């Protein structure tokens, strides 16, 4: 059961980062392995969406419920697909310098023990690639800052 949490300081406002993470329909534009997105339903407080994730010939659909607590937190819960469960959370805490402390956590398990074993071998690298993609997207959307993103933990 892979679990991961990290905190990073980013030079953007909580509102900017909230908007970036909440904009699920654009994930295929910048997230590695996300090949398509279909938003089933969306409101200011909640969204249900399907993401098609592909690794070479392997493609899977993940359906999730995204709950939005503007501008402080986004919670994602798995609905259907190849996993037993998935929960991830983004929390956006204003920093004294005008930036944001981003607290990210993810906890999930595959239905298949084989996938679980394989995921364990590449989980950390894949997760860092995905969180890095969010940071790069923020720089594209909101500009770079001379105080580049620093890990706080």
């Amino acid at each position: 059961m892979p679990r991961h949490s990290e905190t990073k300081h980013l030079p953007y406002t909580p509102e900017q980062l909230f908007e970036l993470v909440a904009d699920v329909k654009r994930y295929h534009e910048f997230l590695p392995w996300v090949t398509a997105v279909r938003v089933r339903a969306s409101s200011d407080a909640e969204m249900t969406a399907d993401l098609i994730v592909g690794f070479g010939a392997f493609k899977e659909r993940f359906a999730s419920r995204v709950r939005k607590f503007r501008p402080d937190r986004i919670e994602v819960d798995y609905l259907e697909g190849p996993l037993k469960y998935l929960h991830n959370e983004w929390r956006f805490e204003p920093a004294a310098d005008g930036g944001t402390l981003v607290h990210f956590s993810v906890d999930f398990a595959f239905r298949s023990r084989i996938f679980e074993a394989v995921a364990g071998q590449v989980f950390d690298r894949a997760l860092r690639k995905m969180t890095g993609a969010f940071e790069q997207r923020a720089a594209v959307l909101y500009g770079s800052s001379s105080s580049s993103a620093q890990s706080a933990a």
Side-chain angles (χ1 to χ4, degrees):
M1 295 179 280
R3 291 184 182 158
H4 176 82
S5 62
E6 67 181 275
T7 299
K8 287 200 170 193
H9 176 271
L10 296 176
Y12 312 105
T13 68
E15 293 81 8
Q16 288 173 316
L17 294 168
F18 180 95
E19 287 299 325
L20 169 62
V21 175
D23 194 8
V24 174
K25 68 184 176 297
R26 300 192 71 179
Y27 280 10
H28 70 283
E29 295 177 12
F30 67 96
L31 277 180
W33 309 299
V34 175
T35 60
V37 176
R38 179 177 68 118
V39 175
R40 296 185 195 179
S42 185
S43 71
D44 286 342
E46 189 171 291
M47 171 189 300
T48 305
D50 297 330
L51 270 64
I52 307 298
V53 177
F55 306 91
F58 171 79
K59 285 198 177 167
E60 287 288 346
R61 181 181 62 87
F62 294 80
S64 300
R65 176 177 295 116
V66 179
R67 295 185 313 158
K68 302 176 265 185
F69 303 90
R70 187 176 301 275
D72 307 313
R73 187 173 83 244
I74 294 176
E75 295 179 359
V76 180
D77 287 298
Y78 175 77
L79 296 174
E80 57 189 68
L83 301 174
K84 279 186 190 175
Y85 68 87
L86 174 137
H87 176 80
N88 79 287
E89 182 174 301
W90 297 83
R91 288 186 302 117
F92 310 102
E93 178 185 342
D97 65 358
T100 301
L101 290 175
V102 179
H103 307 279
F104 173 77
S105 64
V106 62
D107 180 19
F108 70 95
F110 284 99
R111 290 187 201 280
S112 162
R113 288 210 166 120
I114 294 170
F115 279 160
E116 192 78 40
V118 171
Q121 296 173 8
V122 298
F123 174 71
D124 189 58
R125 188 168 23 122
L127 192 59
R128 291 190 193 290
K129 187 169 183 168
M130 294 194 75
T131 56
F134 277 100
E135 289 181 49
Q136 291 170 1
R137 180 68 167 186
V140 167
L141 293 176
Y142 310 124
S144 298
S145 173
S146 58
S147 62
S148 62
Q150 299 294 317
S151 285

